Amino acid sequence: MKFITALITALILPFSATAQTVIPLEQTYGLYNAYVIPLRDRSRIDVQLVVLSGSYDEGEISGVAHYTEHLAALYSDTKVLQQPRQRDLNAFTSKVSTVYANTGSPNEIDRIMKLTRAVLDTPALSDAFQQSEIDIVKREVLYKERNAPGRWLRRLSVQKLYDSKTGRADEPVADLDKITVQAALDFHTKNYQPSNVMIIISGDIDQKTAQAKLTQYFGDTVKTARVPDTWLDDHPDPDLRSVTRISSPRLLENSIAYTKFFEFSEPQDILAMQASFFIASDIYNAYIYNALYLDSFVAQGFSQSSYIAIDGDLEYTAFVTPSPDVSLDDALAALNTAIAEMRTKVITAQEIETARAKNVAYTKSLAQNPRAYLDFFQNLGSDGLPPTSPTQFAQMVADASDDEVLRIIAAFASDSPYAAVLATATEPN
């Protein structure tokens, strides 16, 4: 307890003077937003272009956002560096965004900005190259699928939850053969609009220089309406308590994929809510883990994750591998019981402070890792929120109210819509 007490005491002390300050640029032209984060102790500059659309924003064909990312990144290299594979792909696609990162020394700022700007140009690569890149995307997806069959099982539970195979419930494997060059170009035209893009410039650069470079390379962009996130309107039936049973040789062990949904009234300060969410998730996840694994050994394998959207939608997923002598039905019942018991569990102030201290310490540690702080900058930005540095977010976690933490835990534990897929592993034919 002495270690925890020391951490809690540290929360009342001022944060380091080297805190990374996020500064909004005054003139953003057609962009959704633009920021600079001066980091004088870094002898490099990173420019992240965040397209505020990802796999959730696809239409009827899943995987198009990922393929578009490949074409845009490779065209950027082609235009600026004269070769489509001059370097490793510098981009990735998530559920809600597509992020392109370009890095170099301070004297390479113009090349970095040119590479960043080219992402918004319509990709112009040879027909043969564009077609061959579809095969590369297929191999990437299938490789991930083979190494993590739980991805498929979780997708089934999400599709049951939302009664859909688009938006939040995409189908990237089944749709691989439907991907076309034209579908990617259409996705680019719709979503790669300046007003659907955020720029984050960080490293050894000051505000004046960052503004000048943004003006030089994005000053010709024109503000339009941001592309709406229509998937935010997809909500499950409030009375849904879905259980689906399947058998498959794709799994090594009997498994459960479980997805739960709760809708908050739209929060006034979603950024502050994210800080409370860190603490609440820590407490909730620890309790469910203890209930299924440590206390009862109902599960021999257990993982869980949570996501809170910009409108306050809360999605919780769990993946359970029951112990050998526990049936799938009993494991699901134990999970639902553990969640229900959270509704009456008294969360003490000490539990909140312990979780707060852990998250403050973890978040502050990210400030020392160049890769981690870049991930942190774009993580919140991907939802259209202002990017926040690890040190700034650590302060927000330290300041999060206990009442808000308890409200989020209550949401996790509520009797709300869920979908469970109970999968029995079978021998391959």
Side-chain angles (χ1 to χ4, degrees):
M1 295 299 292
K2 289 184 178 178
F3 177 64
I4 295 298
T5 302
L7 282 174
I8 295 170
T9 303
L11 296 182
I12 66 174
L13 300 177
F15 282 91
S16 167
T18 60
Q20 299 136 347
T21 303
V22 178
I23 304 171
L25 293 179
E26 292 182 4
Q27 179 54 266
T28 60
Y29 305 98
L31 297 172
Y32 175 75
N33 238 324
Y35 301 86
V36 60
I37 306 165
L39 302 170
R40 288 306 186 187
D41 57 340
R42 313 290 182 189
S43 58
R44 56 186 267 176
I45 291 176
D46 296 276
V47 177
Q48 294 167 287
L49 182 147
V50 182
V51 180
L52 300 173
S53 297
S55 62
Y56 281 179
D57 300 279
E58 296 166 329
E60 295 300 316
I61 304 175
S62 299
V64 169
H66 181 192
Y67 176 49
T68 305
E69 167 224 307
H70 278 236
L71 294 188
L74 294 170
Y75 172 70
S76 172
D77 278 8
T78 300
K79 181 174 182 179
V80 179
L81 307 176
Q82 285 70 58
Q83 290 187 37
R85 295 201 179 280
Q86 181 72 12
R87 55 198 179 137
D88 292 335
L89 210 61
N90 61 319
F92 70 91
T93 302
S94 71
K95 297 173 181 178
V96 298
S97 70
T98 310
V99 180
Y100 299 82
N102 289 290
T103 299
S105 62
N107 61 9
E108 295 177 297
I109 181 62
D110 287 295
R111 188 186 77 151
I112 296 170
M113 293 299 290
K114 287 177 183 177
L115 287 164
T116 303
R117 181 64 177 85
V119 169
L120 299 187
D121 295 341
T122 300
L125 298 157
S126 71
D127 290 342
F129 187 94
Q130 291 178 138
Q131 289 292 338
S132 67
E133 200 62 28
I134 293 178
D135 292 332
I136 292 175
V137 169
K138 287 182 179 180
R139 288 199 295 272
E140 284 185 10
V141 172
L142 292 174
Y143 174 81
K144 292 176 182 177
E145 198 78 4
R146 284 194 302 271
N147 284 276
R151 291 162 60 96
W152 156 72
L153 199 59
R154 179 191 174 279
R155 274 201 310 278
L156 292 183
S157 71
V158 173
Q159 289 166 5
K160 292 292 183 180
L161 183 68
Y162 296 108
D163 190 25
S164 173
K165 290 188 177 181
T166 62
R168 301 186 206 236
D170 56 358
E171 184 75 333
V173 175
D175 286 354
L176 282 175
D177 290 332
K178 299 178 184 178
I179 296 174
T180 64
V181 175
Q182 189 57 52
L185 295 178
D186 290 345
F187 186 87
H188 190 283
T189 298
K190 177 183 177 182
N191 296 283
Y192 283 59
Q193 296 294 322
S195 295
N196 202 43
V197 168
M198 180 185 296
I199 298 290
I200 306 170
I201 305 172
S202 59
D204 188 9
I205 188 169
D206 57 36
Q207 181 179 355
K208 181 179 179 181
T209 303
Q211 181 66 75
K213 293 303 176 183
L214 192 78
T215 298
Q216 182 178 352
Y217 291 100
F218 290 89
D220 62 338
T221 58
V222 178
K223 185 77 74 176
T224 58
R226 187 191 155 188
V227 179
D229 291 320
T230 56
W231 56 268
L232 285 170
D233 298 326
D234 296 337
H235 292 170
D237 181 335
D239 297 321
L240 182 71
R241 307 294 184 272
S242 169
V243 178
T244 303
R245 303 173 194 279
I246 65 171
S247 298
S248 173
R250 297 177 62 176
L251 300 168
L252 297 177
E253 300 170 298
N254 294 348
S255 303
I256 298 173
Y258 178 97
T259 308
K260 192 171 189 289
F261 179 92
F262 180 85
E263 180 186 6
F264 282 99
S265 57
E266 190 157 342
Q268 296 299 309
D269 187 349
I270 186 64
L271 191 56
M273 189 175 178
Q274 293 276 354
S276 302
F277 179 73
F278 266 49
I279 303 170
S281 298
D282 193 284
I283 295 170
Y284 177 86
N285 291 345
Y287 176 81
I288 302 297
Y289 177 82
N290 289 345
L292 294 186
Y293 185 70
L294 294 182
D295 297 341
S296 64
F297 201 55
V298 166
Q300 63 177 345
F302 181 65
S303 61
Q304 52 194 339
S305 63
S306 309
Y307 171 70
I308 188 165
I310 195 168
D311 65 346
D313 287 354
L314 176 62
E315 190 177 278
Y316 168 78
T317 61
F319 195 81
V320 183
T321 304
S323 297
D325 59 342
V326 177
S327 70
L328 288 167
D329 288 281
D330 286 346
L332 176 61
L335 175 58
N336 277 325
T337 296
I339 292 172
E341 288 177 348
M342 285 293 290
R343 295 169 204 156
T344 55
K345 178 177 172 58
V346 176
I347 309 298
T348 67
Q350 182 60 51
E351 286 179 284
I352 295 175
E353 287 307 307
T354 299
R356 187 195 310 276
K358 286 167 58 181
N359 280 281
V360 167
Y362 168 72
T363 307
K364 288 178 69 177
S365 72
L366 298 180
Q368 309 306 316
N369 184 318
R371 180 68 261 171
Y373 70 66
L374 286 178
D375 289 344
F376 204 93
F377 294 157
Q378 56 80 19
N379 185 43
L380 293 176
S382 292
D383 282 314
L385 298 169
T388 304
S389 73
T391 47
Q392 288 176 317
F393 194 74
Q395 186 65 64
M396 293 174 65
V397 173
D399 293 339
S401 81
D402 288 7
D403 287 345
E404 185 71 357
V405 171
L406 292 172
R407 187 171 80 101
I408 295 172
I409 292 175
F412 271 118
S414 66
D415 183 18
S416 53
Y418 74 81
V421 176
L422 278 57
T424 301
T426 59
E427 294 291 331
N429 294 330

